[in-house]
Amino acid sequence: MRCSACGWIDKNSRKSQAEFVCSSCGFTCNADTNASVNVAAGQGGIPRPRRTAGAGGVTTATSRPSAREPQPERAGIPLF
């Protein structure tokens, strides 16, 4: 856990599910509040690769390419 006050990183700073106490500067606050301040400051941690799926879903490996096929130009010619 990163301290939102001084930036010190120590996994032992999170004393419980709800309590954060920095082992360096002694800053104390709610652990979720500390984490939200870090995320808002762009210090949320290691970025994870994005997976494209529906709302919160996980994609599975398929043999299909993820790129779209070229689309026909719409030049006034009706497509049937």
Side-chain angles (χ1 to χ4, degrees):
M1 298 284 311
R2 179 187 302 266
C3 176
S4 60
C6 73
W8 183 256
I9 299 173
D10 183 6
K11 66 180 180 178
N12 296 322
S13 291
R14 189 158 184 168
K15 299 299 181 186
S16 69
Q17 180 68 25
E19 184 182 14
F20 178 87
V21 179
C22 180
S23 59
S24 176
C25 72
F27 175 72
T28 302
C29 74
N30 180 281
D32 291 339
T33 302
N34 182 68
S36 66
V37 171
N38 286 331
V39 169
Q43 302 294 325
I46 300 170
R48 296 182 182 159
R50 291 184 173 254
R51 295 184 176 165
T52 55
V58 177
T59 58
T60 58
T62 63
S63 60
R64 296 181 298 158
S66 61
R68 289 185 53 178
E69 294 292 322
Q71 301 298 307
E73 293 289 327
R74 296 197 186 266
I77 302 171
L79 301 174
F80 296 101

